[in-house]
Amino acid sequence: MSKNGPVRQILGFALVGAFTALLATALTQAGSSQQVMVFSTLSSGPADTVDPFVVAPLTGLLIGAVIGTAALAAGFTMTGPAGNRMVPTISAGLLAAAVGPAIAVGVAFGGLSADPGVAGILAIYAACGLLSYGLSLGAVYVVLRAVHDSLARRTVVVLAWLLPIGALVAVAAGVGVASLYDFSHDEATWIATIAVAAACVALALALGRALALRHRSSSALPSSDLDS
């Protein structure tokens, strides 16, 4: 394992724990107005309302970090191919892809001075989708080129056709989750829908990078193996 391997493993377990806790909390409370209440230990006053979508990720983060540390202590390590740069690829692509939906949600709930109609709304959503697509590809390329990755262009080429598929799966999964709760507008349903959709896009980014890495592996075969 590399010098930063233990830190990355602990951080990875922590992030997975935080995401899992957030998604589980959202799915549990979606479609209802249930709140989590705790009693203050500093006063005998009324109970304080605690946002479960803050407590749950923090708790999952801590539990994940503990599990990652315990795994290291037990000799269990998770390593990938050298230079796979999977985390930077997923992080850059996912953060850039979030710009489009953020604009779409802002338009939907920000209040327009004039009603654009169904066609106008669909056009806005389509434009936001294309924006996310372009930004995601651009962000992945910039991040990989910044670290002089030899597969930056190959990764973007693969993602160029894979991301639309991932987006369709993300939309279908998000609609499926929302439909389970009758398309409720409560906070939990929104968070659950967005989390599931984001997971689908992240998987598409990971698959695209993995396919690009396979190209490097096949290119690195000795000439004698290629001729056999």
Side-chain angles (χ1 to χ4, degrees), residues 118-129:
V118 176
I121 291 294
L122 291 178
I124 292 173
Y125 286 174
C128 290

Side-chain angles (χ1 to χ4, degrees), residues 158-177:
V158 174
L159 289 176
W161 60 265
L162 192 59
L163 273 181
I165 299 175
L168 290 176
V169 174
V171 170
V175 171
V177 170

Side-chain angles (χ1 to χ4, degrees), residues 42-68:
L42 301 178
S43 67
S44 57
D48 297 326
T49 302
V50 175
D51 189 346
F53 301 115
V54 174
V55 176
L58 291 177
T59 303
L61 191 75
L62 177 60
I63 294 175
V66 170
I67 294 175

Side-chain angles (χ1 to χ4, degrees), residues 83-90 93 136-137 140-141 144 149 151-167 199-217:
N84 65 2
R85 298 188 174 92
M86 191 69 73
V87 173
T89 299
I90 296 174
S136 184
L137 294 178
V140 169
Y141 183 77
L144 293 180
D149 187 273
L151 292 175
R153 184 176 181 278
R154 176 68 181 179
T155 301
V156 171
V157 169
V158 174
L159 289 176
W161 60 265
L162 192 59
L163 273 181
I165 299 175
C200 293
V201 175
L203 286 174
L205 289 164
L207 179 58
R209 180 60 179 172
L211 291 174
L213 290 172
R214 285 188 60 185
H215 176 76
R216 180 175 67 181
S217 299

Side-chain angles (χ1 to χ4, degrees), residues 29-36 186:
Q29 298 196 19
S32 69
S33 58
Q34 180 182 359
Q35 293 182 338
V36 175
D186 62 277

